[in-house]
Amino acid sequence: MKITKAVIPAAGLGTRVLPATKALPKEMLPIVDKPAIQYIVEEAVASGIIDILIITNRGKELIEDHFDRSPELEQRILNCGKVELADDLARISKLANIYFLRQKETLGLGHAVNCARSFVGSDAFAVLYGDDVIIGDDPACAQLIRVYQEFGRAVLGINKVPAADISKYSSLRVDHIKENIFSCTDMIEKPAKDQVMSLYSILGRCILTPDIFDILDTIKPGVGGEIQLTDAIKVLANTVGVTAVEFTGVRYDMGNKLGILKACIEVGLRHPEIGADFKTYLKDIASRI
Ligand code: UTP
């Protein structure tokens, strides 16, 4: 029941962050000095993941370059005596076995996950959305894996979202089991007001069982004309049931402008190199607005 494989869908078009994402994948948007997707890969690795499949698309080659070696750059940095930085750069390529696969058409998150069928085989696997960075002492993915090991069925990473925003997310029907763990029997993607089941939404992480692929094959385009992962997980929830965990950690939505700014400010304030100076700067700005 060990989970060692993860899929990171990163093939979306990122239309909410244009024009920044016209040529730059949103997953490569930096939070201070690291691209969003590196935080996500590091979370997966810290959770025991060994093999990672990143689903990409045309124009996302930068993601592959980032997880490759960069011998000339490393040598140049070494020549400047910056050994630690050179090690940091080399370490990125050794974080995990990282594989890449192109989603040939951007048909939705469900379709992107379905591209991972042969990579996944018969194992349960983690899905970490490529634009959802979650930072906390206990990696969110690890929290879900522990719940999978206890309950043996698919697990959703959930949190409450503000009532005014629930129509932009999914909404779940949940029953409390214990502590931060729930049973989920139904869900809907981007609900209208009268369809809201709760303010709990799937936020960027889940553990799925391989039966999801046969279900995904049957899913028709849903909200926004996309093959929605939520619609496939709903089938699991309605039949065998799924478990949900209200994960700890702060989630930053790198798919929207405000989320990107929040991530940069909060991570910047904690940054060992620039945190103190940034705090002084922010306080000064705050006193004038
Ligand atoms: P989003 O719906 O946030 O991505 O998908 P998007 O389509 O890029 O966003 P907007 O609405 O145009 O701004 C969540 C995750 O699923 C991936 C995205 O890259 C993101 O990490 N995704 C989405 C795919 O891999 N393929 C798709 O067809 C759609």
Side-chain angles (χ1 to χ4, degrees):
M1 295 257 270
K2 227 173 157 203
I3 294 192
T4 58
K5 289 183 185 173
V7 176
I8 302 181
L13 298 177
T15 55
R16 284 165 297 155
V17 203
L18 283 169
T21 47
K22 184 174 174 223
L24 178 75
K26 69 175 161 181
E27 298 78 13
M28 288 299 291
L29 289 168
I31 304 180
V32 188
D33 52 7
K34 262 198 285 190
I37 196 159
Q38 188 180 333
Y39 288 89
I40 295 169
V41 166
E42 286 174 346
E43 177 198 322
V45 172
S47 307
I49 298 296
I50 295 168
D51 297 307
I52 297 175
L53 177 69
I54 301 180
I55 309 287
T56 65
N57 201 340
R58 283 171 294 282
K60 301 261 184 176
E61 296 81 8
L62 276 183
I63 301 179
E64 292 190 40
D65 291 345
H66 185 71
F67 291 101
D68 197 356
R69 286 296 290 269
S70 182
E72 299 85 1
L73 184 61
E74 288 165 31
Q75 195 53 52
R76 176 71 63 92
I77 304 262
L78 267 181
N79 292 347
C80 300
K82 295 181 177 166
V83 180
E84 210 174 308
L85 181 56
D87 283 351
D88 266 0
L89 290 182
R91 185 185 61 87
I92 297 170
S93 67
K94 298 177 192 148
L95 282 167
N97 301 322
I98 302 184
Y99 304 84
F100 297 91
L101 185 74
R102 282 192 180 199
Q103 182 187 16
K104 311 275 182 311
E105 284 179 90
T106 317
L107 297 178
L109 177 58
H111 180 264
V113 170
N114 206 10
C115 295
R117 187 192 270 262
S118 68
F119 166 79
V120 164
S122 55
D123 305 319
F125 63 105
V127 179
L128 298 91
Y129 300 7
D131 56 353
D132 272 323
V133 172
I134 302 176
I135 297 181
D137 294 334
D138 187 7
C141 182
Q143 298 176 46
L144 270 67
I145 290 175
R146 290 198 298 270
V147 173
Y148 171 76
Q149 280 159 348
E150 186 175 345
F151 291 86
R153 55 185 197 176
V155 183
L156 312 175
I158 64 167
N159 256 283
K160 276 190 173 159
V161 301
D165 293 340
I166 189 72
S167 61
K168 297 182 204 153
Y169 292 86
S170 56
S171 169
L172 311 189
R173 174 163 293 126
V174 291
D175 296 303
H176 187 233
I177 300 178
K178 61 173 185 176
E179 295 144 12
N180 59 342
I181 301 174
F182 300 79
S183 181
C184 171
T185 50
D186 205 5
M187 66 193 64
I188 180 165
E189 181 66 30
K190 302 201 171 48
K193 265 198 186 119
D194 58 348
Q195 295 172 315
V196 173
M197 300 176 184
S198 78
L199 295 180
Y200 280 110
S201 184
I202 307 171
L203 293 181
R205 302 289 179 269
C206 48
I207 305 295
L208 296 175
T209 44
D211 46 348
I212 198 73
F213 295 113
D214 283 345
I215 298 172
L216 277 167
D217 281 345
T218 68
I219 297 297
K220 300 275 173 300
V223 178
E226 297 197 338
I227 305 212
Q228 297 287 349
L229 183 60
T230 308
D231 292 345
I233 301 175
K234 175 187 163 75
V235 175
L236 276 185
N238 291 165
T239 51
V240 288
V242 301
T243 312
V245 55
E246 189 172 11
F247 58 81
T248 59
V250 185
R251 167 183 168 268
Y252 299 107
D253 181 358
M254 296 298 288
N256 79 69
K257 292 165 197 165
L258 191 57
I260 296 166
L261 286 177
K262 285 181 184 171
C264 290
I265 287 179
E266 292 184 29
V267 175
L269 282 170
R270 291 191 300 267
H271 195 279
E273 190 185 320
I274 54 136
D277 286 348
F278 186 48
K279 193 176 195 175
T280 310
Y281 166 77
L282 263 191
K283 276 184 174 165
D284 179 43
I285 294 240
S287 69
R288 287 187 276 122
I289 54 175

PDB file of all heavy atoms in Angstrom, residues 8 26 71 121 164 170 231 235 242 267 279-280:
ATOM      1  N   ILE A   8       1.695  14.956 -11.997  1.00  0.00           N
ATOM      2  CA  ILE A   8       1.503  16.408 -11.862  1.00  0.00           C
ATOM      3  C   ILE A   8       0.967  16.944 -13.194  1.00  0.00           C
ATOM      4  O   ILE A   8       1.729  17.074 -14.167  1.00  0.00           O
ATOM      5  CB  ILE A   8       2.823  17.127 -11.498  1.00  0.00           C
ATOM      6  CG1 ILE A   8       3.400  16.557 -10.195  1.00  0.00           C
ATOM      7  CG2 ILE A   8       2.597  18.638 -11.369  1.00  0.00           C
ATOM      8  CD1 ILE A   8       4.697  17.217  -9.730  1.00  0.00           C
ATOM      9  N   LYS A  26       2.580  28.516 -16.444  1.00  0.00           N
ATOM     10  CA  LYS A  26       2.261  29.098 -15.126  1.00  0.00           C
ATOM     11  C   LYS A  26       2.940  28.309 -14.019  1.00  0.00           C
ATOM     12  O   LYS A  26       3.249  28.839 -12.961  1.00  0.00           O
ATOM     13  CB  LYS A  26       0.761  29.195 -14.893  1.00  0.00           C
ATOM     14  CG  LYS A  26       0.026  27.886 -14.727  1.00  0.00           C
ATOM     15  CD  LYS A  26      -1.438  28.136 -14.371  1.00  0.00           C
ATOM     16  CE  LYS A  26      -2.251  26.893 -14.660  1.00  0.00           C
ATOM     17  NZ  LYS A  26      -3.662  27.036 -14.368  1.00  0.00           N
ATOM     18  N   PRO A  71      25.056  21.793 -16.830  1.00  0.00           N
ATOM     19  CA  PRO A  71      26.482  21.693 -16.516  1.00  0.00           C
ATOM     20  C   PRO A  71      27.261  23.002 -16.671  1.00  0.00           C
ATOM     21  O   PRO A  71      28.062  23.344 -15.806  1.00  0.00           O
ATOM     22  CB  PRO A  71      26.995  20.638 -17.502  1.00  0.00           C
ATOM     23  CG  PRO A  71      25.789  19.899 -17.953  1.00  0.00           C
ATOM     24  CD  PRO A  71      24.643  20.855 -17.860  1.00  0.00           C
ATOM     25  N   GLY A 121      -0.059   2.143 -14.155  1.00  0.00           N
ATOM     26  CA  GLY A 121      -0.235   0.683 -14.068  1.00  0.00           C
ATOM     27  C   GLY A 121      -1.289   0.331 -13.035  1.00  0.00           C
ATOM     28  O   GLY A 121      -2.377   0.911 -13.016  1.00  0.00           O
ATOM     29  N   ALA A 164     -18.546  32.880  -1.023  1.00  0.00           N
ATOM     30  CA  ALA A 164     -18.645  33.694  -2.237  1.00  0.00           C
ATOM     31  C   ALA A 164     -17.852  33.088  -3.401  1.00  0.00           C
ATOM     32  O   ALA A 164     -18.078  33.432  -4.555  1.00  0.00           O
ATOM     33  CB  ALA A 164     -18.127  35.103  -1.951  1.00  0.00           C
ATOM     34  N   SER A 170     -14.966  22.989  -6.630  1.00  0.00           N
ATOM     35  CA  SER A 170     -15.906  21.874  -6.503  1.00  0.00           C
ATOM     36  C   SER A 170     -16.539  21.974  -5.120  1.00  0.00           C
ATOM     37  O   SER A 170     -16.010  22.640  -4.234  1.00  0.00           O
ATOM     38  CB  SER A 170     -15.168  20.544  -6.657  1.00  0.00           C
ATOM     39  OG  SER A 170     -14.109  20.456  -5.714  1.00  0.00           O
ATOM     40  N   ASP A 231     -15.778  14.962 -12.076  1.00  0.00           N
ATOM     41  CA  ASP A 231     -16.882  14.117 -12.546  1.00  0.00           C
ATOM     42  C   ASP A 231     -16.528  12.631 -12.440  1.00  0.00           C
ATOM     43  O   ASP A 231     -17.399  11.793 -12.188  1.00  0.00           O
ATOM     44  CB  ASP A 231     -17.246  14.468 -14.002  1.00  0.00           C
ATOM     45  CG  ASP A 231     -17.866  15.863 -14.103  1.00  0.00           C
ATOM     46  OD1 ASP A 231     -18.258  16.412 -13.053  1.00  0.00           O
ATOM     47  OD2 ASP A 231     -17.943  16.403 -15.230  1.00  0.00           O
ATOM     48  N   VAL A 235     -18.009   9.530  -9.508  1.00  0.00           N
ATOM     49  CA  VAL A 235     -18.469   8.145  -9.733  1.00  0.00           C
ATOM     50  C   VAL A 235     -17.916   7.237  -8.630  1.00  0.00           C
ATOM     51  O   VAL A 235     -18.630   6.405  -8.071  1.00  0.00           O
ATOM     52  CB  VAL A 235     -18.048   7.648 -11.137  1.00  0.00           C
ATOM     53  CG1 VAL A 235     -18.419   6.184 -11.339  1.00  0.00           C
ATOM     54  CG2 VAL A 235     -18.671   8.514 -12.222  1.00  0.00           C
ATOM     55  N   VAL A 242     -15.242   7.668  -1.161  1.00  0.00           N
ATOM     56  CA  VAL A 242     -13.855   8.120  -1.055  1.00  0.00           C
ATOM     57  C   VAL A 242     -13.681   8.804   0.301  1.00  0.00           C
ATOM     58  O   VAL A 242     -14.656   9.184   0.950  1.00  0.00           O
ATOM     59  CB  VAL A 242     -13.456   9.090  -2.201  1.00  0.00           C
ATOM     60  CG1 VAL A 242     -13.621   8.442  -3.553  1.00  0.00           C
ATOM     61  CG2 VAL A 242     -14.254  10.370  -2.145  1.00  0.00           C
ATOM     62  N   VAL A 267       5.974  33.832   1.341  1.00  0.00           N
ATOM     63  CA  VAL A 267       7.230  33.081   1.279  1.00  0.00           C
ATOM     64  C   VAL A 267       8.413  34.047   1.375  1.00  0.00           C
ATOM     65  O   VAL A 267       9.416  33.761   2.029  1.00  0.00           O
ATOM     66  CB  VAL A 267       7.290  32.201  -0.003  1.00  0.00           C
ATOM     67  CG1 VAL A 267       8.631  31.510  -0.138  1.00  0.00           C
ATOM     68  CG2 VAL A 267       6.173  31.167   0.018  1.00  0.00           C
ATOM     69  N   LYS A 279      10.560  42.508   5.061  1.00  0.00           N
ATOM     70  CA  LYS A 279       9.619  42.876   6.114  1.00  0.00           C
ATOM     71  C   LYS A 279       9.664  44.397   6.357  1.00  0.00           C
ATOM     72  O   LYS A 279       8.628  45.059   6.418  1.00  0.00           O
ATOM     73  CB  LYS A 279       9.995  42.126   7.398  1.00  0.00           C
ATOM     74  CG  LYS A 279       8.951  42.171   8.468  1.00  0.00           C
ATOM     75  CD  LYS A 279       9.447  41.297   9.607  1.00  0.00           C
ATOM     76  CE  LYS A 279       8.356  40.959  10.575  1.00  0.00           C
ATOM     77  NZ  LYS A 279       8.831  40.037  11.590  1.00  0.00           N
ATOM     78  N   THR A 280      10.883  44.925   6.458  1.00  0.00           N
ATOM     79  CA  THR A 280      11.041  46.365   6.663  1.00  0.00           C
ATOM     80  C   THR A 280      10.385  47.129   5.508  1.00  0.00           C
ATOM     81  O   THR A 280       9.647  48.099   5.713  1.00  0.00           O
ATOM     82  CB  THR A 280      12.548  46.718   6.707  1.00  0.00           C
ATOM     83  OG1 THR A 280      13.171  45.829   7.628  1.00  0.00           O
ATOM     84  CG2 THR A 280      12.786  48.145   7.124  1.00  0.00           C
TER      85      THR A 280
END
